[in-house]
Amino acid sequence: MSIREWPATERPREKLLARGCAALTDAELIAVLLGSGIPGTDAIALGRALLQDSGGLAALLGAPAESVRRRGIGPAKRARLIAALELARRALGEQLRERPALGSPRDSGDYLRAQLRHLPYEVFGCLYLDNRHRVLAFEELFRGTVDGASVHPREVVRACLKHNACAVIFAHNHPSGVAEPSTADRAITHELRNALQLVGVRVLDHLVIGSGEPVSMAARGLI
């Protein structure tokens, strides 16, 4: 039986409109984005299979397009999934910019997690703030292992000056899912803090993004 033959109250799209997103499982939400399944496999079953193949929602949406090889997922459906994630990121960014100021690591944690958690490679980014700790911009600066060879203080200083930032929050992801700051993380944070002090930019925090809650190095006394 295809989804079209189900009772209206059980069809994902109708359920979403009647009861809201919270009433749908991840697979059902993916089914709404896919729009249709394939012969012998409805859209919900296809959504479940995608989640199982990829190891979860974040991994699915962050995976390279060429890695999604399941039959029935072509460029159009893949593009819908990617677009949905990007819209969510942009919405979080708007909410962050509309806040009067950032007061705690949790204020920026959700946004930075949405930007970085799903990526299969390591990224170092900066959240630039004005003198009242209002968000000016977020920018990805480097890709690769966070250490002295891949994160260049000169480029970070240049980027802060370009955005006229008075303060900055660093963030990088651990694709392994383990958000524990490494020795290299601590070393480059101190190096960047010392470099930015010379131009009057304060380093407020460095968030490490893993599979759970972001870890604040400032909260641990590592800044």
Side-chain angles (χ1 to χ4, degrees), residues 2-25:
S2 70
I3 290 178
R4 293 177 182 176
E5 299 174 87
W6 293 10
T9 55
E10 296 301 319
R11 298 174 200 159
R13 183 168 54 192
E14 285 77 359
K15 188 193 295 188
L16 183 148
L17 294 174
R19 297 164 54 188
C21 294
L24 276 67
T25 65

Side-chain angles (χ1 to χ4, degrees), residues 30 47 50-51 54-64 67-68 78 81 118:
I30 291 173
L50 285 172
L51 290 170
S54 62
L57 185 60
L60 169 64
L61 296 178
S67 69
V68 180
R78 178 67 184 164
L81 293 171
H118 66 290

Side-chain angles (χ1 to χ4, degrees), residues 15 32 74 112 120 198-199:
K15 188 193 295 188
V32 173
L112 292 169
L198 298 176
V199 294

Side-chain angles (χ1 to χ4, degrees), residues 82-184:
I82 295 171
L85 179 62
E86 181 60 25
L87 286 171
R89 287 200 202 100
R90 293 185 185 188
L92 282 170
E94 283 186 1
Q95 292 174 13
L96 198 65
R97 286 189 292 270
E98 289 170 359
R99 291 180 181 177
L102 296 180
S104 71
R106 183 175 294 275
D107 289 341
S108 55
D110 287 344
Y111 172 73
L112 292 169
R113 180 170 54 182
Q115 293 290 331
L116 302 177
R117 179 181 175 182
H118 66 290
L119 297 175
Y121 46 83
E122 196 159 329
V123 167
F124 179 93
C126 291
L127 191 63
Y128 305 102
L129 310 173
D130 67 11
N131 62 347
R132 296 184 181 180
H133 297 176
R134 294 175 298 192
V135 174
L136 297 172
F138 172 78
E139 186 175 33
E140 176 187 314
L141 288 182
F142 308 104
R143 293 187 180 186
T145 303
V146 173
D147 57 29
S150 63
V151 176
H152 307 291
R154 177 179 57 194
E155 298 301 322
V156 176
V157 170
R158 180 181 299 165
C160 287
L161 294 176
K162 179 185 73 173
H163 289 283
N164 198 28
C166 293
V168 66
I169 294 174
F170 303 133
H172 79 279
N173 64 313
H174 283 178
S176 66
V178 180
E180 191 66 25
S182 67
T183 300

